[in-house]
Amino acid sequence: MRHPATRIAATILAAAALGLLAACSVTRNLPEGEVLYDGQKKTEVLNRCDTPEGENALEDVEAALYKAPNNTVLGIHVPIPFGLWVYNSFVKYEKGFGRWIFNRFAAQPVLLSGVNPGIRCQAAENILKEYGFFNGKVDYDILPNAKDSLKAKVRYRVDMANPYYIDTVCYQGFSPRTQAVMELSRRRSLIRPGEHFNVADLDGERTRLSNLLRNIGYYYFRPDYLTYQADTTLVPGGHVSLRMTPVPGMPPAAERQYRVGRKSFWLLGKNGEMPTDSLVYRDLTIRYHDRLRLRPAMIYRWLDYKSYRMKRQVEDSAGISRQRSFESLYSLYRQTRVQERLSNLGIFRSMEMRYTPRDTALLGDTLDLAVIAMLDKPYDAELDFNVKMKSNNQMGPGAAFTVTKNNVFGGGESWNVKLNGSYEWQTGGGEGASKMNSYELGISTALTFPRVVFPSMGDREYDFPATTTFRLYVDQLNRAQYYRLLAFGGNATYDFQPVATRKHSFTPFRLTFNVLSHPTEAFLQLQAENPALYISLSDQFIPAMEYTFTYDDASVRRLRHSSRWWQTTVSSAGNVTSLIYRALGKPFGRQGKELFGVPFAQFLKINSEFRYNYRISRRQQLAMRVAAGVVWPYGNSSVAPYTEQFYVGGANSVRAFTARSIGPGGYRPAQESSYSFIDQVGDVRLEANVEYRFPIVSDLHGAVFLDAGNVWLLRQDAARPGAQITLRDLPGQIALGTGVGVRYDLQFLVFRLDLGIGLHAPYDTGRTGYYNIPRFKDGLALHFAIGYPF
């Protein structure tokens, strides 16, 4: 224990140090005539427009006006101006230790002259005009500090005035064919009468029309060739009449249709060497350096233009109308698809599609295509390392090492081998501190083809991404003093994405074999205490097939204020095997059927999740999620495999509770249960979340959320009373929690910290009422994670 005199002396020294620091003036070394920028007062907004466009305009205006004041760290204002104190105290040193202190800790003062409030006001007014607030004004006031005349704040005043709306839109000055295409596409226009005037929409409409024309052969057309003439006097009262016209001097070639002629593929050497040899495959010329490392048939399929051949009605010399086939017109859509296809292969370091007019005078209508590419390195290696911390006092390191061989058979195939392992130990003390130590080791290999392998589609190439993946794996889990679980198997999966918003994944074959070995006496007690749990972990085959449908419209341009994501997976296990048994004369639904002497699982599983994000403003969102799932064991199984059952809780679920700490239903395992860490799973899952996301400052964001959910059993289990789902008990068995969180969003990476606060536990806690958390601190759960929860 420290002597009282020592504590008094330390207090006096600390107070003296703080006094010396406080005595340091932050304005002592300011240049002559300069004033220290002390931040800005809350912006005064007049004639505020509450529409989404108005809120977006105001956000952009605020961003243009904002300037981080002195004493800002990661966008947050700190009250102690340590950096300015160091600047004023050590700016006089040009070398030595004083200069080192200055370079390390000094903060350059932010001066009012460097803020340039007048220029910021002008930029803000231009933003208002871009959003259709043509009469908007922005000005400012300088507010000197009453105690220090060398410090001042800025207060901005924004008058949004009245917004302007689009009255009419017309096209003039184009060729008849171009005019007809534009008129026919009006229903897809981004600017419509009655909508809020917005320069961003005007630019988007120019891009849309340009892409539309380029998709039907207008190779040389560009968005810059389109301009607007706006008139606000034809219709008074805040309306704009728009006329779209070609820019003066637009080249004639811009409104001419071109078709694709000869095609060639140039494969450069690994150091960019030009081709030294060539071959012709069908109508495709392939040039390569040294040795061709790609199969010609695959190159031809990747560059296939056959689906875009056009037919037109023409008159022959006798005046008879006939249908004539032409080579495919140039299409930006087709060019983009080919680029995406080649890029998704992951085998090219660089790739360029070069179109060259056959007639250099641009009098002809044919473009020759040359695709110039260079192969990437044949091998990739990746090492992932992490440290896990779990709610059951388990922690430990994990690592995964993956080696990938690209372009295995010369057709863009990839083959990878992955080694993974982890070790966990119990961090808590006490009698059982070492009982839960465990490790996991695994190896897997996967071969992915950038096409449908079986059944063969011949030379046909899908006009959308399609892949086939074959995977094998072996995984060994050792749960010390309980059991060892060996899992091995494989699957074949087909992935299709016919349009940008929809993806299909079909696994016609997925076989998993779980082998439970070395069970201890403690684990064998589960057979008597909880037979259903024991069965879910016992030896069994899981022969299954699976289909997943995913819908995601986040990339759709017209959905500017909302996005939807929906994924549904349907899995079926054991049915094909049971049909074989039925063909052999054995009952379809009889239990006890075996595959290679081991029982196989038989179940039907449906899992669905829907997410909806509504953009309140550019930096404010309301995110919602609803999830439901059910797994029904039947026939050869009375209990679904443990790996197929559901659980809730954790950083991405009901955040007021840790993972697998609630359910099923109103069941709560005894605190002294030796297996409570694995039995809180169920056959039915219901979950809902809503989260309001808002900015705090700079890249720091906040969130307020509400989570609800639980899992249940379909059948009654005497070992877990209250776990079966019933309509009568359902409302009271929904776990409910709220909470707050902060996110540091770096665009490419999001660090998240959430504090969950329990409101209702689905089991009996000994406390009456809906809020049944015994103590407030018992309902708290802190989660650190990377990425958003949904």
Side-chain angles (χ1 to χ4, degrees), residues 463-501:
D463 192 36
F464 49 80
T467 62
T468 306
T469 301
F470 300 99
R471 180 174 178 265
L472 297 173
Y473 76 94
V474 178
D475 191 85
Q476 171 76 58
L477 172 65
N478 179 72
R479 185 73 71 176
Q481 300 190 19
Y482 282 90
Y483 62 87
R484 292 181 185 176
L485 184 65
L486 176 67
F488 61 89
N491 60 61
T493 302
Y494 299 91
D495 292 310
F496 307 90
Q497 191 168 2
V499 295
T501 57

Side-chain angles (χ1 to χ4, degrees), residues 107-124:
Q108 194 74 21
V110 181
L111 305 178
L112 185 62
S113 61
V115 175
N116 291 318
I119 295 178
R120 291 180 182 274
C121 287
Q122 186 61 50

Side-chain angles (χ1 to χ4, degrees), residues 161-477:
N162 60 301
Y164 276 71
Y165 295 88
I166 297 173
D167 181 65
T168 57
V169 182
C170 64
Y171 310 112
Q172 291 183 2
F174 299 97
S175 69
R177 181 170 54 192
T178 305
Q179 184 89 12
V181 172
M182 291 180 169
E183 293 290 348
L184 288 173
S185 70
R186 275 188 180 272
R187 63 187 182 90
R188 297 184 179 274
S189 177
L190 301 180
I191 50 175
R192 297 184 179 94
E195 289 190 348
H196 200 290
F197 180 90
N198 190 336
V199 171
D201 288 342
L202 267 61
D203 290 340
E205 177 66 4
R206 293 197 310 167
T207 301
R208 185 192 71 85
L209 288 173
S210 175
N211 291 344
L212 174 67
L213 293 170
R214 297 192 72 196
N215 281 335
I216 58 173
Y218 289 62
Y219 174 76
Y220 289 102
F221 206 93
R222 298 292 182 270
D224 294 342
Y225 292 157
L226 300 174
T227 187
Y228 292 97
Q229 296 176 358
D231 195 333
T232 59
T233 62
L234 291 179
V235 182
H239 290 80
V240 182
S241 297
L242 289 175
R243 183 187 303 112
M244 179 180 284
T245 63
V247 298
M250 182 178 70
E255 290 191 270
R256 182 181 301 160
Q257 287 181 301
Y258 289 84
R259 58 190 177 92
V260 178
R262 293 188 294 264
K263 298 185 293 293
S264 60
F265 184 86
W266 295 55
L267 187 61
L268 307 183
K270 62 180 181 179
N271 296 317
E273 297 92 344
M274 294 301 293
T276 57
D277 205 345
S278 66
L279 60 86
V280 177
Y281 183 85
R282 298 189 180 181
D283 59 347
L284 176 66
T285 302
I286 301 175
R287 305 180 187 276
Y288 55 92
H289 175 77
D290 190 20
R291 180 169 64 90
L292 182 59
R293 292 174 173 82
L294 295 172
R295 300 205 304 275
M298 296 308 304
I299 299 175
Y300 185 84
R301 291 175 62 170
W302 297 334
L303 304 183
D304 181 26
Y305 268 74
K306 290 186 295 184
S307 60
Y308 274 78
R309 295 190 181 277
M310 308 289 291
K311 290 186 177 180
R312 297 180 187 171
Q313 292 295 128
V314 297
E315 290 187 354
D316 60 13
S317 58
I320 301 174
S321 180
R322 299 182 183 276
Q323 196 174 65
R324 180 182 173 188
S325 177
F326 285 81
E327 286 188 347
S328 59
L329 290 173
Y330 165 80
S331 168
L332 176 63
Y333 171 82
R334 168 54 50 181
Q335 175 184 336
T336 304
R337 281 295 193 177
V338 171
Q339 288 174 327
E340 290 176 351
R341 183 181 297 165
L342 295 175
S343 177
N344 291 337
L345 292 173
I347 63 175
F348 295 109
R349 183 187 309 175
S350 62
M351 192 273 299
E352 176 190 359
M353 297 184 69
R354 185 177 299 171
Y355 292 87
T356 305
R358 189 172 297 177
D359 182 357
T360 56
L362 299 181
L363 298 177
D365 63 350
T366 303
L367 301 172
D368 291 331
L369 169 63
V371 179
I372 304 172
M374 182 168 27
L375 288 174
D376 206 345
K377 296 179 180 179
Y379 290 95
D380 289 328
E382 182 179 358
L383 176 64
D384 293 327
F385 183 80
N386 61 75
V387 176
K388 301 178 181 178
M389 298 187 66
K390 297 186 178 180
S391 59
N392 55 9
N393 292 330
Q394 291 284 306
M395 70 174 296
F401 179 68
T402 306
V403 177
T404 302
K405 173 70 167 68
N406 297 316
N407 197 36
V408 181
F409 306 120
E413 305 85 358
S414 66
W415 174 51
N416 70 67
V417 176
K418 180 179 181 180
L419 298 173
N420 62 278
S422 64
Y423 181 76
E424 299 175 352
W425 64 88
Q426 189 170 15
T427 57
E431 183 180 352
S434 63
K435 291 184 178 180
M436 298 296 293
N437 293 353
S438 65
Y439 66 83
E440 182 177 3
L441 295 173
I443 182 172
S444 64
T445 181
L447 180 62
T448 300
F449 295 84
R451 59 190 180 278
V452 175
V453 176
F454 180 84
S456 176
M457 297 297 169
D459 291 338
R460 179 183 176 185
E461 185 75 15
Y462 282 107
D463 192 36
F464 49 80
T467 62
T468 306
T469 301
F470 300 99
R471 180 174 178 265
L472 297 173
Y473 76 94
V474 178
D475 191 85
Q476 171 76 58
L477 172 65

